[in-house]
Amino acid sequence: MGQRLREARKQRGWSQERLVREISRYAEQHLTDVASPASLKVYVSEWENGRRAVSSTYALILRALFGMTDDELFGAPESAAPAADGYDELIGRIDSARSLSLGMVDTFLNQTELLRSFDRQMGAAALVDQMRAHLDALEDALTFAVLPDARRPVATALAGAATLAAWQALDVGAVERAWRHYELGKRAAAEAEQPMYLAHAMAEQAYVLADAGRPEMAVDLVRDAQRTGGTKVSPRLAAWLFAAEAELCAKAGLARDCRDALDRAAAVLPAGDEARDPDMLSIFLNAGHMARWRGNALAMLGEDDALAELYVALERMDPAFTRATAGLRCDLAQAHLARGEFGQAREHLQKARLLANRTGSVRQRRRIERLTGRL
């Protein structure tokens, strides 16, 4: 238990003293009683050395601070023995699933949308409990729904929620959880017969491979996602898939492929200021977003025209996209570094760090630290 908690703290770049302050701050904001800072300092040390068990109150706070589950922070508990005869309970749950109305599916979709909005502005760390409960409810609904006409709407809702949960897990550094959630999203999309959801989950999963040092494999996966979606994806999602390919090609050092994919994305992107895809609510993409994506890819390639694209994107950036703004600041820093403009790069990294700390993004922090090492 202690080793996992220590690693989670170090991933965030926190000292034990900082963790104590964050626990106290969380408790004050949520009107929760905790020990004094002096006692908390002892608790943290004993938790990390395995000399004190973490109570349910502190486990809740630590989950919210790190955006990690109990299993990830403390290790998996022993499984309870299954009931010897559970037929009555099984039939009860099947009967409950039969009565799941379209209105209930809408409630699931609305909950996903609420979690998506909160994540976009505040980050994923504080949502770990809510997201886990939401996925559990959807998985239960799907598990005990019997006939296809009842299963497909729930599977569609689960596909969207699982992909969101996966991206949140990737953002807080829970890589294995991210991968498993993407697999869940892909299975749900396949059952729902929703090629758009399946292609989107596959393409996002490619980022896990890229972050793990396998950008060439990531390029192969995003291209497979494009083939999977085929002509059944919306124009905006098609543009998103090409833009994702461009970014991953840039990570793999495939400059010509990157530019070709950017051109294809621009060619199919619908005109106008509207960014959200009505057929795929997780997709936000218009000319402003595309400028950010183009600048990001060109900055990774060290191209001179990256800066112009990125500053256009910064001017158009919606301030509600906090995590995306942190990424854009990193892109600007990278572009300035390529030109030897260290003062401007340092300024953007400072702003990026503030935003990453606000959202609790371990993924962004890692990138910031890599770029800072080049100053």
Side-chain angles (χ1 to χ4, degrees):
M1 177 189 76
Q3 181 65 27
R4 292 176 182 234
L5 181 58
R6 184 182 300 112
E7 288 303 316
R9 174 175 60 78
K10 289 181 176 179
Q11 272 194 339
R12 191 60 67 86
W14 290 355
S15 63
Q16 288 189 346
E17 291 76 12
R18 171 70 183 275
L19 178 54
V20 167
R21 293 197 300 272
E22 293 295 334
I23 292 172
S24 298
R25 182 181 61 82
Y26 181 96
E28 182 178 351
Q29 290 177 345
H30 294 80
L31 304 179
T32 302
D33 290 329
V34 296
S36 68
S39 295
L40 284 174
K41 186 175 181 180
V42 175
Y43 289 1
V44 169
S45 177
E46 291 182 344
W47 291 337
E48 293 191 355
N49 289 314
R51 295 198 299 268
R52 175 186 291 269
V54 180
S55 70
S56 59
T57 297
Y58 290 112
L60 184 152
I61 295 173
L62 292 169
R63 290 195 303 270
L65 291 178
F66 292 116
M68 302 180 78
T69 64
D70 280 342
D71 288 1
E72 290 162 347
L73 283 171
F74 315 124
E78 293 183 5
S79 300
D85 184 354
Y87 285 110
D88 290 342
E89 181 181 356
L90 173 62
I91 293 302
R93 299 185 79 166
I94 290 173
D95 288 342
S96 295
R98 287 182 62 189
S99 65
L100 186 69
S101 66
L102 183 60
M104 190 61 196
V105 174
D106 288 341
T107 299
F108 283 139
L109 294 173
N110 291 336
Q111 180 68 15
T112 300
E113 178 63 15
L114 181 64
L115 291 166
R116 182 181 290 115
S117 297
F118 189 94
D119 166 64
R120 192 165 58 242
Q121 297 182 52
M122 303 302 295
L127 296 177
V128 62
D129 284 349
Q130 296 95 317
M131 201 73 238
R132 182 66 264 173
H134 185 45
L135 286 182
D136 285 347
L138 279 163
E139 287 190 85
D140 268 0
L142 182 60
T143 297
F144 296 102
V146 177
L147 300 178
D149 61 343
R151 293 179 66 85
R152 288 194 189 103
V154 181
T156 301
L158 177 57
T163 304
L164 172 62
W167 191 256
Q168 291 176 346
L170 184 61
D171 190 52
V172 300
V175 178
E176 182 177 342
R177 172 158 47 106
W179 188 267
R180 292 181 181 279
H181 284 338
Y182 280 127
E183 288 297 312
L184 172 62
K186 286 158 57 179
R187 291 194 302 272
E191 173 156 358
E193 299 178 356
Q194 291 280 4
M196 287 182 60
Y197 282 82
L198 179 55
H200 178 239
M202 292 170 66
E204 278 201 0
Q205 190 177 33
Y207 282 88
V208 184
L209 294 171
D211 286 0
R214 296 291 185 272
E216 296 84 3
M217 190 181 295
V219 171
D220 289 340
L221 181 55
V222 76
R223 287 173 175 168
D224 193 36
Q226 293 167 2
R227 289 188 290 270
T228 296
T231 60
K232 297 180 180 179
V233 302
S234 66
R236 202 176 304 275
L237 177 57
W240 186 94
L241 290 168
F242 284 131
E245 179 190 357
E247 181 179 355
L248 294 169
C249 283
K251 289 178 182 290
L254 303 173
R256 178 174 294 180
D257 287 359
C258 171
R259 285 190 173 274
D260 288 346
L262 287 172
D263 289 343
R264 290 196 296 273
V268 299
L269 178 67
D273 293 333
E274 179 58 43
R276 196 161 202 189
D277 191 333
D279 298 315
M280 188 62 136
L281 295 180
S282 55
I283 298 298
F284 291 82
L285 191 63
N286 59 16
H289 293 90
M290 185 59 73
R292 175 174 62 87
W293 223 329
R294 185 179 183 86
N296 164 266
L298 296 179
M300 282 190 283
L301 294 174
E303 301 284 352
D304 288 339
D305 49 347
L307 270 179
E309 298 276 1
L310 291 170
Y311 277 112
V312 168
L314 183 62
E315 183 178 342
R316 297 179 180 178
M317 175 61 71
D318 183 341
F321 287 74
T322 307
R323 184 168 51 211
T325 304
L328 176 54
R329 293 286 184 182
C330 288
D331 296 337
L332 282 161
Q334 186 162 343
H336 280 296
L337 281 170
R339 296 159 61 100
E341 296 165 350
F342 299 109
Q344 293 96 320
R346 185 176 291 106
E347 179 182 347
H348 285 297
L349 285 174
Q350 288 172 347
K351 293 178 179 179
R353 185 175 286 106
L354 288 173
L355 293 171
N357 288 341
R358 185 191 307 173
T359 62
S361 175
V362 171
R363 187 169 184 261
Q364 293 284 8
R365 274 188 54 86
R366 287 171 176 165
R367 187 180 179 199
I368 290 165
E369 295 309 318
R370 286 196 301 268
L371 292 171
T372 300
R374 293 171 52 186
L375 289 174

